[in-house]
Amino acid sequence: MDPRHWSTLELPQVLERLAAHTSFSAGAERARNLPPSPLPQEVQERLETTTEARVLLEARPQITLGGVRDVRPQVEAARRGVVLPPTDLLDVRGTLTAARTLQRTLTRLKHQFPRLADIASRIAPCPDLIEAVDRCLDERGEVRDEASPRLARVRRELRTAHDRLLDRLQRIISSTKNRPFLQEPIITLRGGRYVIPLKADFKGRIRGIVHDRSASGATLFIEPLSVVDLNNSWRELQIQEEQEVQRILADLSTRVAACGAEIEHTVDALADLDLAFAKARYADVLNGTAPDIGYPASGNRPHIRLLQARHPLLDPQTVVPIDVVLDEGTHILVITGPNTGGKTVTLKTVGLLALMVQAGLHIPVAPGSALPVFEAVYADIGDEQSIEQSLSTFSSHMTNILSFIDRADERSLVLLDELGAGTDPAEGSALARALLETFRQRGATTFVATHYPELKAYAQLTPGVKNASVEFDPETLRPTYHLTIGLPGRSNAFAIARRLGLEEEIARRAKSLVSREDRRTEDLLADIHRLRLRVVRERDAAHAARLEAERLAEDLQERLSRIEEERTAILEEARQQADDELERLREEIRALRRRLQAAGASLEAVAAVETDLEGLEETVEAGAVGAGPRARPSARPRPGDPVWVKPLRTQGEVLSVEGEKAEVQVGPARVRVELAQLVLQPHLEEKAEPSRLTYEVPRAETRLDLRGRTVEEALERLDRHLDAASLAGLPWIQIVHGKGTGALRRAVRDFLRTHPLVASHRPGEEGEGGEGVTFATLA
């Protein structure tokens, strides 16, 4: 693939933005030099690695490459025998330590992130080198005393000599005999030796060696003769310490050189992981999606399906998404329309997104998009006029096209802006058609932006070629940037001229100079566009009406469910009141029995009264229940009992009872429900008028596709689908939500976790859709 065409399509700018999301220089270098791959298997691996990185960073945002440095220059210096300073050694240690931690983490998660774990397996953390640097250097880069026995001994002796030296000097400056001769009673350093400040007027009063003089000449800094030997001993120990420290640093540098190959492999692996994490972060910024990819088999055309595609370098808040869908029989698209209408942006969007996918980047498109893998992408876009080579715009365009026309084939993507422009219109149009025919015969997937009306007719009449247009609003004189495939662009010159104030007479005269065929074609296009706009408006209105009807139906169902629940509650309350009243009457009956017996009445009289009381009791029980039959005290449903099914909010009839579950007939479906979820209903003695509360069992399928929907819309559909699946007795359903940023996936799984009809759920396995699908097992 020719990098010159990558620059035309602005891939370097995208890679620069990608590099801004890396964590260290080697990863940034890898991002800036990331080439698109022409190999489908490699492209698929790259996209899946990016997907793994997005899922990993979403689940474990604390994973970073903090502390990692590109230490390959330090390794090379150590190989040349350079003694590395402590800061460089700490950078090597920090890089290896961070690499070891990352490797351990990804190895534990290998079953979830196999591609990232494979990259991490290339890390060689050199534990002996890490331990040696930790033992010899502290976090400030100072060599520790315990780095070697000799250094520990020298530093002990050094501290002793230092203390003895300062103690002797302190006694000299504290002496009352010497105090008049001193400028100040202090000890200071000059030339690496301790001295005291002597007034110049008293030179010789304290015998010693002069090391310095103040700027005014009033003070001499002398080393008293009595401390010269102590100063010498202290300085000799300092030199020994420096030599031992250099020896230790040289030994550590030698260890770095010995581990050089492992360190370089580790930095390479870290750069690849850094690149994968940067791709994941950039994908989140773009709200990107991994499209399906394919490769054209012999005789088949590449299939391009870009849904809601956005140019990644444009402001996502203002850019207008476009749909670019080519059917299997189309491989050339002729785009027409006004200037600044978006033709060039469309070409660059298609080309740049193709390159990004082949570089392993997720792209700003809707789920369900697809792109083939091209072996080459050629672009002739923009004003290529060259003053240096004395080439006109036309000559420059032709030179560029001729550089790749012989190489373009069915595995190539060709993007041509203003084909044939810059020369005589008739000749330019003829040349453009000839070039397009050449690319068509070679089988290259070609997008061309043009103003030539002859190319519209060519696209309409030639197999494998299709028209497309960018829309323009003649009322506002502004482009809408929408791309319409299947219709050629319209000329808006007269409408724009009128809006800008051109006299009507001039506009009519100009229009009369246009041929009758061209006027009829333009009027026909205008009618088609008006009809299309009306169809779109009616479709949108029908969609809005359908959504409103669904909302009203759901509201009504909810209200009916609440009414039924309230009715059940009222009946229960009435039954409880009746039970209380009945119990009170029974207590009165028992009290009457006790009084009769206490009064000593004859047994015959007591029996007669009891008979009357039993009749009264039966009357009370019958009246307490009211018109309907009374529920059994056990409240345990039996086959044939009508019940209210709480989870489904509808009525049913018990078919059988096994343990704590019952099989219930609900409409045309049979469901198994816990007894605790059933409420007994009264039997109707005679067939009643059909209830207005009905439950329509929806059509149930094992697969539900939620891609492209908002979280709220998706959860509503999922709830309805679960009800339908449960009524139909389905054991499980497959929910397709896509991978994307993971927001819809999390919402779906959180919803399933608490849904009463779901027993369990799991993500898809490899070959089932992975993290893009969830399987729910119904209770």
Side-chain angles (χ1 to χ4, degrees):
M1 301 180 79
D2 191 343
R4 181 167 55 93
H5 298 283
W6 303 350
S7 298
T8 301
L9 295 171
E10 302 174 296
L11 180 63
Q13 289 91 313
V14 169
L15 298 183
E16 191 62 40
R17 294 193 179 187
L18 173 65
H21 293 280
T22 57
S23 298
F24 76 119
S25 58
E29 179 185 1
R30 195 69 52 92
R32 293 188 183 98
N33 297 314
L34 178 63
S37 170
L39 306 175
Q41 185 62 35
E42 183 178 358
V43 172
Q44 188 65 45
E45 286 285 334
R46 289 180 173 186
L47 290 174
E48 291 176 357
T49 301
T50 303
T51 299
E52 282 189 12
R54 292 185 75 177
V55 175
L56 174 64
L57 292 182
E58 183 179 357
R60 295 172 177 255
Q62 71 276 12
I63 292 181
T64 67
L65 275 78
V68 170
R69 301 286 185 274
D70 183 3
V71 294
R72 290 174 296 185
Q74 288 89 326
V75 170
E76 186 58 34
R79 284 173 174 158
R80 296 197 307 269
V82 175
V83 177
L84 300 178
T87 53
D88 286 352
L89 291 169
L90 288 178
D91 283 345
V92 172
R93 190 279 312 265
T95 298
L96 294 176
T97 302
R100 181 173 62 184
T101 301
L102 194 57
Q103 184 188 46
R104 289 172 177 173
T105 300
L106 292 176
T107 300
R108 288 197 305 269
L109 301 172
K110 184 173 183 178
H111 64 288
Q112 291 177 266
F113 309 103
R115 291 168 184 81
L116 295 177
D118 285 344
I119 298 175
S121 67
R122 292 158 34 202
I123 291 173
C126 303
D128 292 341
L129 178 58
I130 295 175
E131 188 276 331
V133 175
D134 280 337
R135 177 174 50 81
C136 295
L137 300 178
D138 61 20
E139 292 302 323
R140 295 173 299 175
E142 301 290 338
V143 178
R144 303 178 189 271
D145 292 355
E146 54 270 25
S148 74
R150 184 170 184 269
L151 181 62
R153 177 183 58 80
V154 168
R155 284 184 172 172
R156 283 196 303 272
E157 295 176 358
L158 185 63
R159 285 191 288 270
T160 301
H162 182 262
D163 292 342
R164 290 174 59 193
L165 173 60
L166 290 183
D167 184 62
R168 178 71 61 84
L169 288 170
Q170 187 64 40
R171 288 202 301 270
I172 292 173
I173 65 175
S174 301
S175 171
T176 55
K177 181 180 70 172
N178 295 329
R179 191 170 297 170
F181 311 136
L182 299 176
Q183 195 69 261
E184 292 181 80
I186 62 172
I187 302 169
T188 185
L189 277 169
R190 286 294 186 275
R193 300 179 76 86
Y194 281 109
V195 296
I196 59 176
L198 182 69
K199 294 178 182 178
D201 295 340
F202 297 101
K203 181 180 179 181
R205 295 297 183 93
I206 299 177
R207 298 180 64 191
I209 302 170
V210 177
H211 285 280
D212 199 3
R213 181 187 296 269
S214 67
S216 65
T219 304
L220 300 177
F221 295 94
I222 70 166
E223 178 184 4
L225 291 179
S226 60
V227 299
V228 169
D229 289 341
L230 292 175
N231 248 329
N232 288 341
S233 298
W234 178 64
R235 183 59 187 151
E236 288 173 3
L237 289 169
Q238 280 183 306
I239 293 172
Q240 291 180 32
E241 179 196 27
E242 291 170 1
Q243 291 173 343
E244 182 63 13
V245 165
Q246 282 299 107
R247 188 195 67 77
I248 292 169
L249 295 179
D251 178 66
L252 291 176
S253 300
T254 302
R255 289 172 178 261
V256 170
C259 292
E262 291 86 347
I263 295 173
E264 288 173 340
H265 291 156
T266 295
V267 172
D268 284 340
L270 290 173
D272 286 340
L273 288 173
D274 193 22
L275 177 61
F277 293 159
K279 288 179 180 179
R281 297 186 191 101
Y282 189 39
D284 288 340
V285 170
L286 293 178
N287 193 21
T289 300
D292 297 329
I293 65 166
Y295 201 70
S298 179
N300 293 331
R301 298 305 320 155
H303 185 58
I304 293 180
R305 185 173 67 253
L306 296 176
L307 308 177
Q308 298 292 294
R310 295 177 282 110
H311 194 288
L313 298 179
L314 298 179
D315 185 354
Q317 303 299 322
T318 58
V319 65
V320 177
I322 59 173
D323 292 338
V324 183
V325 180
L326 298 187
D327 55 44
E328 190 172 325
T330 302
H331 61 280
I332 294 182
L333 194 66
V334 177
I335 306 173
T336 51
N339 287 327
T340 72
K343 299 190 301 296
T344 302
V345 172
T346 297
L347 296 183
K348 286 189 173 183
T349 299
V350 173
L352 182 55
L353 294 187
L355 293 175
M356 289 175 65
V357 167
Q358 292 180 217
L361 297 172
H362 291 187
I363 56 176
V365 294
S369 298
L371 271 173
V373 175
F374 296 102
E375 284 190 356
V377 177
Y378 303 112
D380 182 65
I381 297 175
D383 188 357
E384 302 293 338
Q385 183 171 359
S386 173
I387 298 175
E388 204 174 283
Q389 300 179 15
S390 301
L391 296 177
S392 67
T393 299
F394 175 75
S395 299
S396 181
H397 279 296
M398 285 306 304
T399 300
N400 188 26
I401 293 172
L402 292 176
S403 70
F404 60 77
I405 191 170
D406 291 333
R407 291 180 285 160
D409 57 20
E410 69 277 0
R411 297 187 178 112
S412 302
L413 173 63
V414 179
L415 307 165
L416 304 171
D417 190 21
E418 300 298 345
L419 182 61
T423 186
D424 177 76
E427 294 180 355
S429 172
L431 184 60
R433 279 177 288 170
L435 288 172
L436 270 188
E437 183 61 22
T438 299
F439 286 121
R440 187 180 77 88
Q441 292 175 359
R442 292 181 179 274
T445 301
T446 306
F447 289 74
V448 58
T450 182
H451 283 289
Y452 288 130
E454 292 83 358
L455 291 185
K456 300 179 186 178
Y458 171 82
Q460 196 68 31
L461 300 174
T462 306
V465 187
K466 187 170 287 188
N467 272 306
S469 61
V470 288
E471 297 179 357
F472 187 88
D473 189 342
E475 297 298 322
T476 63
L477 302 183
R478 292 181 179 178
T480 65
Y481 303 108
H482 288 114
L483 180 70
T484 302
I485 295 178
L487 291 178
R490 292 183 297 147
S491 170
N492 294 284
F494 298 139
I496 294 173
R498 288 190 180 97
R499 291 279 296 174
L500 293 176
L502 183 68
E503 294 183 9
E504 185 64 30
E505 180 60 29
I506 298 176
R508 281 199 301 270
R509 188 180 304 123
K511 191 171 184 178
S512 67
L513 297 176
V514 178
S515 67
R516 179 180 301 176
E517 290 76 11
D518 288 344
R519 289 200 302 272
R520 290 173 59 187
T521 300
E522 188 67 22
D523 291 341
L524 180 60
L525 284 175
D527 290 341
I528 292 174
H529 278 275
R530 281 194 294 270
L531 180 62
R532 177 181 172 277
L533 289 176
R534 189 173 68 184
V535 169
V536 169
R537 291 194 202 97
E538 292 177 351
R539 182 196 63 195
D540 292 344
H543 179 67
R546 181 177 61 81
L547 292 179
E548 180 65 16
E550 290 178 355
R551 187 188 64 79
L552 291 175
E554 291 173 359
D555 289 347
L556 180 59
Q557 185 64 41
E558 182 67 23
R559 289 173 59 190
L560 291 173
S561 299
R562 286 198 299 270
I563 291 172
E564 181 61 29
E565 291 173 359
E566 291 173 1
R567 184 183 75 85
T568 303
I570 291 171
L571 288 175
E572 286 298 323
E573 184 180 358
R575 288 192 181 105
Q576 186 61 45
Q577 291 177 354
D579 287 342
D580 293 344
E581 181 67 20
L582 182 58
E583 183 60 31
R584 187 181 62 79
L585 291 175
R586 284 173 176 162
E587 181 59 33
E588 291 184 5
I589 291 172
R590 286 193 291 269
L592 286 174
R593 285 195 180 103
R594 288 193 296 272
R595 288 174 60 189
L596 287 173
Q597 291 173 356
S602 64
L603 292 178
E604 294 78 3
V606 171
V609 173
E610 285 184 347
T611 301
D612 293 339
L613 289 176
E614 288 174 359
L616 177 61
E617 182 177 5
E618 292 176 1
T619 303
V620 169
E621 289 182 356
V625 176
R630 180 163 181 75
R632 295 183 303 279
S634 65
R636 184 178 179 86
R638 295 182 301 192
D641 283 346
V643 290
W644 176 256
V645 186
K646 292 180 181 178
L648 302 182
R649 296 177 178 175
T650 189
Q651 290 179 332
E653 181 179 336
V654 176
L655 299 178
S656 63
V657 179
E658 295 181 7
E660 294 303 316
K661 286 190 176 182
E663 185 176 12
V664 182
Q665 182 81 34
V666 179
R670 296 185 179 187
V671 295
R672 290 186 63 80
V673 187
E674 296 283 348
L675 294 181
Q677 300 295 324
L678 300 177
V679 178
L680 280 170
Q681 300 292 293
H683 284 274
L684 297 180
E685 296 300 329
E686 56 186 29
K687 186 172 181 64
E689 182 180 350
S691 171
R692 295 186 180 182
L693 179 63
T694 60
Y695 184 85
E696 180 181 355
V697 179
R699 181 171 172 235
E701 298 179 353
T702 59
R703 186 176 186 274
L704 173 63
D705 193 340
L706 301 177
R707 290 177 295 182
R709 299 183 178 273
T710 65
V711 170
E712 183 178 1
E713 293 173 347
L715 296 183
E716 290 178 354
R717 288 200 62 195
L718 177 57
D719 190 30
R720 293 198 300 271
H721 197 87
L722 287 170
D723 288 346
S726 178
L727 288 176
L730 297 181
W732 53 268
I733 63 170
Q734 178 191 29
I735 304 153
V736 182
H737 43 62
K739 299 176 182 177
T741 62
L744 182 56
R745 180 184 69 247
R746 289 194 303 273
V748 166
R749 292 178 181 175
D750 290 341
F751 183 80
L752 295 175
R753 194 172 293 114
T754 58
H755 200 283
L757 297 180
V758 177
S760 63
H761 67 277
R762 63 172 179 86
E765 298 177 353
E766 190 167 351
E768 294 178 335
E771 288 295 324
V773 303
T774 297
F775 288 83
T777 302
L778 302 183

